[in-house]
Amino acid sequence: MELRQLRYFVAVAEELNFGRAASRLRIAGPSLSQQIKALERDLGVRLFDRDRRSVTLTEHGRALLPKTRALLAQADELRRYAVGMAASEPVRLGYVNWRPADLFNRVSGVAQLNVDTWVLPSHEQARRVADHSIDLAICWVRTSDLAEHDLQANLVGADRIHAVGAGADTGEVSARDTVVLVDADTASWASWNVFAEEFARDTGAHVVHIDDGGITGPAFFEHVRRLRRPVLNSPKGQTTPVPPDLTQRPVVRPSPVWTWSLVGRRDETRVAVRAVVEALSQDIGTLGLDADTTWLPADDPHRHRDRTRH
């Protein structure tokens, strides 16, 4: 059994609802159910009685719940003790444009986190981890990048990429009916260009080459107006307000997903750095990457997360 499974048991016991527990744990409902079943097999007892309408603790579940809470409390105390001396060591973190909203709360008491002010593209952030300019980075990486620079990646976030179209239509658009922009400036847009070109090859989306940096910002919206077709929006543009003459549209068959990895050095030995990795990546779950309707690049390190792809 794993401590993670014991935490899942406590969450379900407190919620008595697998859906609410899964939301609280930020994992997919089927994954939570599978982990509880695995725990029950390891323990040799049934923890919950389940039907379509209710979830209740069995006699064994009620007996084991306080012991499980005590065990988890001891594990948390051990973790705090182990990292206590390292909490004052600064850990340097770089990112591209996304980071968890509760970033500092999650590492509070674990390490002193210094978020680097240089907001650079993904490939640059990964390179800076490799050359020890920073300790960790939240960025998009490929398995080949990790192997080349002796890095490792933990999933910490995922953005479902939508399209922006002209007119009032807000309905779903098939991937093959979208346009992807590829910019000539590979120093800034190397990762996006790789993602976009592979998406086009796999789905039949149309590639349009640009040289004005219009992957985001006002220039992107001008390209949407000019092309008169739904254009895939990059992760950097996902939170930018869409002008009133344009609309945001979900992309389906398949739905592209951009993953955010917490990237660190494979040979990292500093306790504080490893503690930050654990704090930011524990109990993340699949973030929907196990759905058959999603698309990730072939070299995405999280493509096979909890599922078998064909």
Side-chain angles (χ1 to χ4, degrees):
M1 74 186 74
E2 302 176 13
L3 286 175
R4 172 172 58 103
Q5 294 172 323
L6 297 179
R7 295 186 192 280
Y8 292 171
F9 164 50
V10 171
V12 176
E14 291 176 350
E15 298 290 345
L16 292 180
N17 182 287
F18 274 78
R20 288 196 300 269
S23 177
R24 167 176 157 184
L25 294 165
R26 293 183 294 179
I27 65 172
S31 296
L32 175 60
S33 181
Q34 290 171 8
Q35 290 297 325
I36 292 297
K37 288 178 181 178
L39 178 61
E40 289 176 326
R41 286 196 299 270
D42 287 342
L43 293 173
V45 298
R46 195 173 74 256
L47 300 172
F48 297 100
D49 286 323
R50 287 164 273 190
D51 58 36
R52 292 184 177 180
R53 295 184 179 181
S54 65
V55 176
T56 58
L57 280 163
T58 64
E59 181 179 349
H60 292 303
R62 287 192 297 273
L64 289 174
L65 182 58
K67 295 181 181 295
T68 302
R69 284 178 170 141
L71 181 60
L72 290 174
Q74 289 178 333
D76 290 340
E77 178 62 26
L78 178 62
R79 183 181 296 108
R80 285 191 294 269
Y81 181 81
V83 303
M85 292 183 293
S88 60
E89 297 181 44
V91 175
R92 300 160 297 172
L93 172 74
Y95 72 106
V96 179
N97 68 292
W98 179 90
R99 61 187 188 183
D102 58 350
L103 173 66
F104 290 100
N105 287 339
R106 291 172 69 178
V107 301
S108 176
V110 168
Q112 177 186 335
L113 189 64
N114 290 348
V115 176
D116 196 88
T117 56
W118 286 15
V119 179
L120 297 172
S122 285
H123 63 284
E124 286 294 329
Q125 296 290 21
R127 179 191 59 76
R128 295 178 71 215
V129 174
D131 68 16
H132 291 250
S133 296
I134 54 178
D135 299 308
L136 298 167
I138 298 174
C139 58
W140 182 85
V141 290
R142 296 174 293 174
T143 301
S144 54
D145 301 324
L146 301 175
E148 179 183 356
H149 298 294
D150 199 25
L151 302 173
Q152 60 185 8
N154 288 273
L155 181 68
V156 291
D159 282 335
R160 189 170 294 272
I161 305 298
H162 61 257
V164 175
D169 190 353
T170 60
E172 295 178 342
V173 57
S174 177
R176 67 181 179 182
D177 295 325
T178 63
V179 171
V180 290
L181 303 179
V182 172
D183 199 278
D185 180 7
T186 57
S188 299
W189 299 108
S191 296
W192 171 254
N193 287 351
V194 169
F195 182 96
E197 289 177 331
E198 185 173 342
F199 177 75
R201 288 195 301 271
D202 284 357
T203 66
H206 180 63
V207 175
V208 171
H209 293 274
I210 61 174
D211 59 6
D212 60 357
I215 302 297
T216 59
F220 170 77
F221 297 126
E222 286 304 316
H223 285 302
V224 176
R225 296 184 180 102
R226 175 177 61 85
L227 294 167
R228 304 297 299 176
R229 291 177 62 184
V231 182
L232 212 64
N233 203 357
S234 78
K236 284 191 175 181
Q238 294 290 296
T239 58
T240 303
V242 176
D245 62 317
L246 304 177
T247 55
Q248 179 175 305
R249 301 183 63 180
V251 180
V252 296
R253 296 185 300 276
S255 299
V257 175
W258 179 279
T259 58
W260 293 110
S261 293
L262 181 62
V263 174
R265 293 178 288 275
R266 194 176 300 278
D267 61 356
E268 181 62 66
T269 59
R270 289 179 56 202
V271 173
V273 177
R274 293 166 64 180
V276 170
V277 171
E278 182 178 359
L280 294 181
S281 59
Q282 67 180 353
D283 298 333
I284 288 297
T286 65
L287 299 181
L289 304 187
D290 55 345
D292 291 334
T293 55
T294 62
W295 178 91
L296 285 83
D299 205 21
D300 190 296
H302 311 296
R303 176 167 175 159
H304 298 281
R305 189 178 179 89
D306 287 352
R307 66 167 169 174
T308 301
R309 302 245 341 187
H310 54 272

